Amino acid sequence: MKQFLLFTFFLFSFILLLKANPVKGNLHGIVRDLKTGKPIEGASVYISDVRVGASTNQQGEFAIDNLNDGNHLVEVSHIGYATLAVTIEVKGETNKDFNLLEAIVENNAVVVTGVSKATQLKKIPFQVSVMRKQDLLQSSSMNIIESITKNAGVSSLSTGPAISKPLIRGLGYNRVLTINDGVRQEGQQWGDEHGIEIDDESVSKIEILKGPASLVYGSDAMAGVINIITNVPAPKNTIKLNLGSNYQTNNHLRSFNGNFSGNKKGFNWNAYGTYKAAADYKNKYDGYVFNSKFNEQNVGGYIGYNGEKGFSHLLFSSFDLKAGLVEGDRDSLGNFIKAMPGGDEIAATTTDFKSSTPLTPYQHIRHFKVATDNNYKLGDNSLSINIGFQQNRREEFGNPDNLDERSLFFDMKTITYASQFHFKEKNGWKHSIGTNGMDQTNTNLGVEQLIPDYHLFDIGFFVFTQKEVKKFNFSGGMRFDNRNIDVKNLMEGSSVKGEAFKKQFANFSGSAGLTYAASKNVNLKFNIARAFRAPSIPELASNGAHEGTIRYEYGNRNLNSEISTQFDAAITLNKEHFSFNLAGYYNHFSNFIYYRKLQNISGTDSLVEVNGNYLTAFTFDQQAANMYGTEITLDIHPHPLDWLHIENSFSYVRGKFATAMEGSKNLPFIPAPKLLTEFRADFKKLNKSIKNFYAKYEIENTFKQNNAFTAYNTETASRGYVLMNIGVGAEINNQKNKQILGIYLSALNIADVAYQSHLSRLKYAAVNPITGREGVFNVGRNFGIKVNVPMNF
């Protein structure tokens, strides 16, 4: 019924746009190389707010129609050139030529994350990193979150190669919001073993906002936003077919993906599909890591229409992942063991390691989404509306005596909505008002219940404004949110072990920031923001032992919303041959939520018996905490070696509680400091057949992390390590100068270093009785090859 209503709304919008008046304006011109004056073929000219674009031909020419008269922010980009973002006034037939300068640093992209309308990166007061499709093709990883950890300030909390959770500046779980094509991703993100449900092969662009973003998005965006964009309309009058494949040697990961898109007379579409499978990975200490295998199947896309009065798109996706859960138990000889019916255990075999079908315990995640994304031109104003429905079905299988038994089964259904009204720009002022929120129901269908059934309704209202005065750009606004939660009884069989209750959370948030273009090459940024996060259902109402932990957890229904106040400042220096960015931040939490050990009436640890084992009891509490850190990037493009680039990034974050617990003030899950250095050679043309050739050598230096949260045996310190990676790739063209193939080779951890990331949950698996080493180590040496075949019609 909900899907039918969404389709009806889309159909109404579609018909409305078809009846629009004839097009008034169009934009055309030529894109050239600034130094040589030669035309650039294949450059992208795109206008984000109206979702239209074009690609230049052999003469560098482009043309975009279906434009209303008025100002449009145009983004011009091409591999190896600095992105150009310019506001153009379109009035009837409008001609504008663009000149691009060779560069590798993305410092002037157009971004849509955290702002009401598309804005130049240099004009927003907070830090945003951008990754494009080409960046993803040239990197090698086993999931989409690992791909973005090359960005300073971004890391991942992992439970094997299939499951990674994003952390921004040391904060993750429900403190980081993931957006996919305008819809907030909802899929049990509170759990350690719960990743995000997005097909990494379908991604066109990723924007990573670092810092509080509650103003535009509400609760759960207090650490930042990962905005993943998959559906971008093809250039007008084109049909594209793209085929790709990826293979990695360490765990025999193989993936195949296809993408079919087109744009004819305003009608545009995109359809994609991916199959991915991997066996167990290996490293030199553990050998093959049993049950780290996974397989994945995804389909998705959109269909829509772009006209003079706006656009209307209907989006859908279906994500299906089966991932093994690594327990790390071993026998007396140090062999990984697998559970058998009847309670028996045997050593895992070579056949077990090489299979891509997970064994118990494993989880099966299915995520279905359908949404309609619309933008209407209302005179000189505009209205955007996004409505989505998603269903997340997460099952956990862990009984070898009954392989079909679902020990856990969460069935979550969420309706999200977002609407913004953008007023006509006047005297440099850009005003927007908006509302967004969600309606969510989560139901337990498994044998056990860790969290109760619940219903949640969330609504927020905000006002956002921007003002440009000469070299200054001001932006900010205010927001009010209200969240109502109706929690049902938590059941254990037919018994009630957690009473039902209702809660309401209401909060104000806001931000104010400015950028100052001190000169042509120097840009200063400052931002202050107040953000919040309502407590998650597990924090409020959990009651049970969690898989893989030594804890029995009790929720705390008396928790208040987390409130943070963060100050950000940055300076950017961009020259032709180098770029430097220094960003710093300080974040104060008035009521940070954390685990606290319970004590019994005698003052000792409270214990709970579960299946004959006694587990220490914990509850959730909150107190004041502070976080601060820095991110530094330095990119050198030395003259006359214009083909050489030396890229450096350093990130550091420190988190402390106001009051120590068991002698530790450190916040948990804070990533270790990291320095990443990459030497890169880029050649636009080696000969007539080989274009956009690159070769890179990367040194990833992760320092030791001695500031672990050691209270309650939560964490241990981690050693530092150095990983070396290399990559090489190019585009192969035919005699007509058309790309027929892209090939990308990589070698990760070429020294086969055995290491444990501080944020790997496998670090705390059982001790190997032969070596005495605790936990499971990360992936060893890994060679990879990607092939991409684009076809344009």
Side-chain angles (χ1 to χ4, degrees):
M1 182 62 182
K2 297 169 183 174
Q3 295 95 316
F4 174 76
L5 291 175
L6 280 174
F7 180 77
T8 302
F9 179 77
F10 162 75
L11 195 61
F12 174 76
S13 303
F14 185 81
I15 294 171
L16 205 65
L17 293 174
L18 284 176
K19 291 186 175 182
N21 296 325
V23 177
K24 295 180 180 178
N26 61 69
L27 176 67
H28 53 85
I30 301 174
V31 179
R32 297 184 177 92
D33 186 299
L34 179 64
K35 287 186 176 180
T36 67
K38 293 182 179 179
I40 301 174
E41 182 184 4
S44 170
V45 184
Y46 188 66
I47 305 176
S48 293
D49 282 336
V50 292
R51 304 282 205 282
V52 297
S55 184
T56 57
N57 60 19
Q58 285 185 318
Q59 289 74 44
E61 300 168 336
F62 73 91
I64 302 176
D65 51 21
N66 285 351
L67 292 177
N68 244 45
D69 287 353
N71 291 332
H72 296 274
L73 181 58
V74 181
E75 182 181 40
V76 187
S77 60
H78 191 277
I79 301 170
Y81 289 92
T83 299
L84 186 65
V86 183
T87 299
I88 303 296
E89 182 182 6
V90 174
K91 196 170 185 179
E93 289 286 330
T94 304
N95 183 82
K96 176 65 179 178
D97 296 341
F98 300 100
N99 298 309
L100 299 184
L101 180 67
E102 286 190 29
I104 197 169
V105 182
E106 187 75 275
N107 52 48
N108 195 28
V110 172
V111 297
V112 297
T113 309
V115 290
S116 61
K117 299 186 72 174
T119 307
Q120 288 177 265
L121 180 60
K122 66 181 182 181
K123 293 184 178 181
I124 57 177
F126 37 80
Q127 294 291 297
V128 176
S129 297
V130 177
M131 292 187 72
R132 301 183 185 277
K133 183 69 174 181
Q134 195 68 18
D135 301 318
L136 297 173
L137 284 172
Q138 294 180 7
S139 66
S140 185
S141 63
M142 295 187 185
N143 60 66
I144 186 64
I145 297 303
E146 294 297 331
S147 299
I148 67 177
T149 58
K150 303 298 182 184
N151 293 276
V154 183
S155 51
S156 68
L157 182 77
S158 64
T159 311
I163 305 168
S164 293
K165 304 177 69 65
L167 274 76
I168 299 178
R169 293 177 170 177
L171 295 173
Y173 294 87
N174 287 70
R175 299 181 179 98
V176 172
L177 184 63
T178 300
I179 302 289
N180 182 212
D181 290 325
V183 179
R184 61 179 291 156
Q185 194 79 2
E186 287 294 318
Q188 314 286 351
Q189 54 265 44
W190 52 269
D192 288 337
E193 286 83 23
H194 303 166
I196 66 169
E197 305 83 1
I198 295 174
D199 176 14
D200 53 350
E201 303 291 350
S202 70
V203 176
S204 298
K205 182 181 178 182
I206 303 176
E207 296 179 1
I208 307 161
L209 189 159
K210 303 173 214 176
S214 290
L215 171 60
V216 176
Y217 301 105
S219 180
D220 301 352
M222 67 188 318
V225 177
I226 310 291
N227 186 7
I228 300 175
I229 301 167
T230 60
N231 292 305
V232 176
K236 71 164 191 171
N237 296 327
T238 63
I239 295 177
K240 292 185 173 185
L241 176 64
N242 198 93
L243 302 176
S245 183
N246 178 20
Y247 180 76
Q248 297 180 26
T249 59
N250 186 281
N251 61 351
H252 302 290
L253 183 149
R254 57 273 190 195
S255 72
F256 306 93
N257 65 284
N259 176 268
F260 179 63
S261 61
N263 190 336
K264 289 291 184 180
K265 297 182 179 180
F267 293 93
N268 50 93
W269 69 89
N270 178 45
Y272 64 83
T274 297
Y275 170 78
K276 182 191 294 186
D280 293 336
Y281 78 85
K282 61 181 177 180
N283 59 64
K284 70 178 184 180
Y285 280 175
D286 299 309
Y288 287 99
V289 176
F290 175 62
N291 214 27
S292 56
K293 56 179 82 353
F294 64 93
N295 59 72
E296 185 180 313
Q297 302 174 66
N298 309 309
V299 294
Y302 86 97
I303 185 170
Y305 178 77
N306 291 56
E308 179 209 355
K309 292 298 183 181
F311 63 84
S312 185
H313 296 164
L314 182 68
L315 308 92
F316 75 96
S317 65
S318 177
F319 176 93
D320 192 309
L321 169 69
K322 290 183 179 179
L325 296 175
V326 178
E327 295 191 316
D329 294 332
R330 310 174 197 250
D331 62 20
S332 59
L333 299 177
N335 300 310
F336 287 109
I337 57 176
K338 67 174 182 178
M340 300 295 292
D344 293 335
E345 295 176 336
I346 64 172
T349 65
T350 302
T351 302
D352 294 324
F353 296 138
K354 293 185 176 181
S355 167
S356 61
T357 302
L359 302 175
T360 55
Y362 73 93
Q363 57 177 337
H364 185 193
I365 302 106
R366 289 168 290 168
H367 193 97
F368 172 79
K369 177 170 58 183
V370 60
T372 177
D373 188 23
N374 311 275
N375 185 282
Y376 311 103
K377 195 75 175 177
L378 305 176
D380 293 326
N381 310 308
S382 64
L383 174 67
S384 59
I385 299 175
N386 186 301
I387 303 174
F389 168 79
Q390 54 192 310
Q391 181 177 23
N392 184 276
R393 297 165 66 86
R394 186 175 301 271
E395 303 164 271
E396 187 171 307
F397 299 83
N399 185 356
D401 293 313
N402 184 357
L403 299 179
D404 295 325
E405 180 185 277
R406 300 167 175 85
S407 54
L408 296 175
F409 188 174
F410 302 114
D411 186 11
M412 176 189 288
K413 298 175 182 177
T414 307
I415 297 175
T416 59
Y417 59 92
S419 178
Q420 293 187 40
F421 186 86
H422 310 285
F423 294 91
K424 175 186 176 182
E425 181 178 347
K426 189 175 183 180
N427 298 325
W429 286 101
K430 300 177 183 178
H431 301 301
S432 299
I433 58 173
T435 181
N436 49 25
M438 62 179 174
D439 184 277
Q440 185 175 92
T441 301
N442 196 39
T443 306
N444 284 284
L445 301 176
V447 175
E448 303 172 12
Q449 290 192 14
L450 295 179
I451 60 173
D453 297 349
Y454 69 86
H455 174 255
L456 176 153
F457 181 75
D458 195 47
I459 189 168
F461 304 91
F462 68 91
V463 56
F464 186 90
T465 188
Q466 295 173 280
K467 169 69 173 176
E468 185 170 353
V469 182
K470 296 182 179 180
K471 296 183 177 182
F472 290 91
N473 276 275
F474 300 90
S475 63
M478 292 291 296
R479 179 185 181 96
F480 174 76
D481 280 275
N482 188 79
R483 172 172 289 186
N484 288 283
I485 301 174
D486 183 1
V487 179
K488 310 303 181 182
N489 288 331
L490 180 62
M491 306 300 295
E492 185 170 31
S494 59
S495 303
V496 176
K497 66 174 181 178
E499 296 291 337
F501 64 90
K502 296 181 179 181
K503 294 284 290 187
Q504 181 181 23
F505 299 94
N507 289 276
F508 285 95
S509 54
S511 69
L514 65 87
T515 65
Y516 173 58
S519 69
K520 179 181 178 182
N521 302 312
V522 178
N523 199 43
L524 305 176
K525 297 186 177 188
F526 177 79
N527 192 63
I528 179 173
R530 182 183 189 269
F532 83 99
R533 178 181 73 90
S536 66
I537 296 299
E539 292 166 339
L540 291 168
S542 63
N543 187 338
H546 285 212
E547 178 74 24
T549 72
I550 57 171
R551 299 173 178 166
Y552 192 99
E553 297 176 3
Y554 291 100
N556 181 354
R557 67 179 64 182
N558 296 316
L559 293 175
N560 296 314
S561 295
E562 282 186 338
I563 304 294
S564 76
T565 304
Q566 179 162 314
F567 300 86
D568 286 84
I571 179 171
T572 302
L573 174 61
N574 287 308
K575 301 282 284 185
E576 183 178 355
H577 298 295
F578 75 92
S579 176
F580 173 76
N581 184 78
L582 171 63
Y585 56 91
Y586 175 83
N587 198 351
H588 173 73
F589 293 85
S590 58
N591 39 21
F592 191 89
I593 298 175
Y594 65 96
Y595 286 117
R596 176 175 62 80
K597 187 183 292 185
L598 287 173
Q599 293 184 330
N600 56 31
I601 56 175
S602 62
T604 59
D605 292 346
S606 177
L607 301 177
V608 180
E609 183 181 1
V610 179
N611 298 326
N613 297 315
Y614 287 91
L615 303 180
T616 305
F618 287 78
T619 189
F620 290 92
D621 208 341
Q622 50 193 171
Q623 65 154 296
N626 299 298
M627 298 185 73
Y628 53 90
T630 186
E631 293 135 19
I632 305 171
T633 58
L634 173 63
D635 299 279
I636 303 170
H637 184 194
H639 185 74
L641 304 177
D642 295 332
W643 50 268
L644 177 64
H645 308 271
I646 306 172
E647 304 177 46
N648 305 272
S649 67
F650 174 76
S651 53
Y652 170 82
V653 60
R654 186 79 165 90
K656 291 183 177 181
F657 285 110
T659 303
M661 285 162 285
E662 290 193 350
S664 179
K665 275 191 171 184
N666 302 313
L667 291 185
F669 310 128
I670 299 298
K674 184 169 72 173
L675 172 65
L676 190 66
T677 299
E678 180 182 282
F679 299 89
R680 181 185 178 97
D682 276 284
F683 298 93
K684 287 188 174 58
K685 184 178 180 181
L686 286 184
N687 55 44
K688 290 184 178 181
S689 299
I690 302 178
K691 303 288 182 69
N692 295 319
F693 173 86
Y694 73 92
K696 61 181 181 178
Y697 171 62
E698 185 179 85
I699 304 172
E700 183 179 336
N701 190 344
T702 300
F703 297 86
K704 61 183 179 182
Q705 178 57 287
N706 288 330
N707 299 317
F709 182 56
T710 57
Y712 319 137
N713 297 317
T714 301
E715 290 184 308
T716 59
S718 299
R719 296 179 179 178
Y721 51 89
V722 177
L723 304 180
M724 292 179 289
N725 313 311
I726 59 176
V728 62
E731 296 173 358
I732 312 301
N733 287 17
N734 61 19
Q735 293 181 347
K736 296 182 180 180
N737 201 34
K738 298 296 183 182
Q739 183 185 344
I740 59 174
L741 180 72
I743 185 167
Y744 312 92
L745 306 175
S746 64
L748 306 183
N749 191 7
I750 56 178
D752 201 22
V753 173
Y755 70 99
Q756 289 178 322
S757 167
H758 184 68
L759 297 178
S760 171
R761 302 305 299 156
L762 303 185
K763 177 186 171 187
Y764 302 100
V767 173
N768 186 329
I770 299 299
T771 64
R773 299 187 184 101
E774 181 183 3
V776 172
F777 286 72
N778 287 70
V779 178
R781 184 185 296 115
N782 189 17
F783 297 97
I785 178 172
K786 288 183 181 179
V787 176
N788 189 63
V789 182
M791 289 173 273
N792 297 324
F793 305 96

